[in-house]
Amino acid sequence: MTPQDYVQQKAAASGSSFYYAFLFLPPTQRAAITAFYAFCREIDDVVDDMVDPSVASSKLAWWQAEVTQSFAGRPSHPVLQALMPLAAEFQIEQHHLQSVIEGCQMDLTQTRYLDYPGLQRYCHLVAGVVGEVAAQIFGQTVPQTTLYAHKLGQALQLTNIIRDVGEDAGRGRIYLPVNELQQFDVKAHEILKRSYSERFTALMQFQARRAQGLYDEALALLPAVDRRAQKPGLMMASIYRALLTEIEHDNFQVLHQRISLTPLRKLWLAWKVQALGRM
């Protein structure tokens, strides 16, 4: 199996909405974003599949060394063998990859966030930086597009957090800020025990309004000159906003299930942005 085959399989097997946004890209850009996304999946899987935190920590340390070695011209893992030949063309730098690893390292040591600014730091590392790299691959031409990409990455990550409250609770993690749980009088043990209440619904409505506001802010930041090039990001915004709306319509029944869109609906939403230029 070639490195290119490996990253393609890794991206497709994830079942992520991101995959649908890649389908419409020219070959070189599609190869770059697929390899970068496969890298992100590899790092994320270390944490999601964790049984022993010390083993997961060792694996992330290995990835840190592998990234350093790869930028020195000696990649050994197929993901970085696929990515490195394209890194310079799309201005992908070592600190981008190391930031993604740093964000996932936080998952090994931190299961709560005291406030939203603390959560924002985590979102910046695991999603904002990813958005920045993606925007570069998609073909941004002006610096302001980076601001849009970071804001959109944050919106996407908050949508993930809302969708995965129950799943994360099963791993002992609560990403919803502690002071906001207190504001709505929701106890951590209620979330860990998957217990619904009107207080929980109100808390989640608050989170959803914040996420929706971030989508609006991101779209307002996207310069008109880069709107066409950034269509894949707009596809992601369309798919994830539809998911967030679905969760809202389902009254935030996220503690016992993972709400998702069908592959056909994701493809339709992506195609609509590609063909019509609108969400």
Side-chain angles (χ1 to χ4, degrees):
M1 180 186 296
T2 67
Q4 290 72 28
D5 290 336
Y6 181 92
V7 296
Q8 178 65 32
Q9 287 190 16
K10 186 73 177 180
S14 72
S16 170
S17 302
F18 285 85
Y19 183 67
Y20 295 87
F22 303 165
L23 297 176
F24 300 93
L25 285 168
T28 303
Q29 289 171 294
R30 187 166 66 245
I33 194 65
T34 299
F36 177 63
Y37 177 70
F39 168 80
C40 294
R41 289 289 348 140
E42 291 282 356
I43 303 305
D44 201 46
D45 287 348
V46 171
V47 176
D48 285 348
D49 299 339
M50 175 180 62
V51 176
D52 183 339
S54 64
V55 173
S57 182
S58 295
K59 288 181 178 179
L60 291 181
W62 182 89
W63 275 106
Q64 287 177 313
E66 170 67 4
V67 167
T68 300
Q69 179 176 297
S70 297
F71 277 87
R74 302 185 306 276
S76 64
H77 194 281
V79 162
L80 287 166
Q81 288 173 350
L83 181 61
M84 292 315 300
L86 301 165
E89 179 179 353
F90 295 106
Q91 302 174 58
I92 303 170
E93 300 176 6
Q94 181 174 172
H95 72 87
H96 292 130
L97 305 192
Q98 297 289 11
S99 291
V100 174
I101 298 172
E102 182 185 346
C104 287
Q105 284 175 322
M106 292 176 69
D107 280 327
L108 302 183
T109 58
Q110 190 166 352
T111 59
R112 304 285 192 278
Y113 291 86
L114 292 178
D115 52 26
Y116 184 58
L119 182 62
Q120 280 182 302
R121 170 63 180 165
Y122 172 76
C123 291
H124 166 75
L125 292 170
V126 301
V129 172
V130 173
E132 178 182 339
V133 172
Q136 291 171 178
I137 292 172
F138 298 154
Q140 79 172 73
T141 62
V142 293
Q144 186 181 335
T145 300
T146 299
L147 300 177
Y148 144 82
H150 276 275
K151 191 72 70 174
L152 179 59
Q154 191 176 351
L156 298 176
Q157 186 62 27
L158 287 183
T159 303
N160 277 338
I161 287 171
I162 291 168
R163 178 195 63 193
D164 295 340
V165 171
E167 193 173 294
D168 290 330
R171 298 187 176 107
R173 299 185 203 139
I174 300 176
Y175 290 98
L176 306 174
V178 171
N179 67 339
E180 293 174 5
L181 265 68
Q182 294 170 340
Q183 178 183 340
F184 289 90
D185 194 28
V186 175
K187 306 296 189 291
H189 70 81
E190 294 176 314
I191 293 178
L192 296 175
K193 291 180 179 179
R194 321 287 175 89
S195 177
Y196 291 101
S197 66
E198 291 183 2
R199 292 171 286 108
F200 174 77
T201 301
L203 169 66
M204 298 308 292
Q205 288 171 337
F206 177 81
Q207 304 299 324
R209 284 194 299 271
R210 172 186 283 150
Q212 293 284 15
L214 286 169
Y215 284 113
D216 290 336
E217 291 175 34
L219 296 174
L221 283 169
L222 177 58
V225 68
D226 272 354
R227 187 173 180 86
R228 183 178 181 83
Q230 298 302 318
K231 276 186 177 181
L234 296 176
M235 292 176 192
M236 290 308 309
S238 179
I239 291 170
Y240 267 67
R241 257 196 135 156
L243 171 62
L244 183 56
T245 299
E246 194 78 17
I247 292 170
E248 290 174 311
H249 288 166
D250 204 31
N251 204 31
F252 301 98
Q253 297 294 295
V254 292
L255 291 174
H256 70 289
Q257 64 181 342
R258 181 188 176 103
I259 297 172
S260 61
L261 305 181
T262 66
L264 184 60
R265 188 172 177 195
K266 291 177 185 178
L267 185 60
W268 161 249
L269 291 167
W271 177 87
K272 191 165 67 169
V273 172
Q274 175 65 22
L276 306 179
R278 60 181 174 82
M279 295 169 57

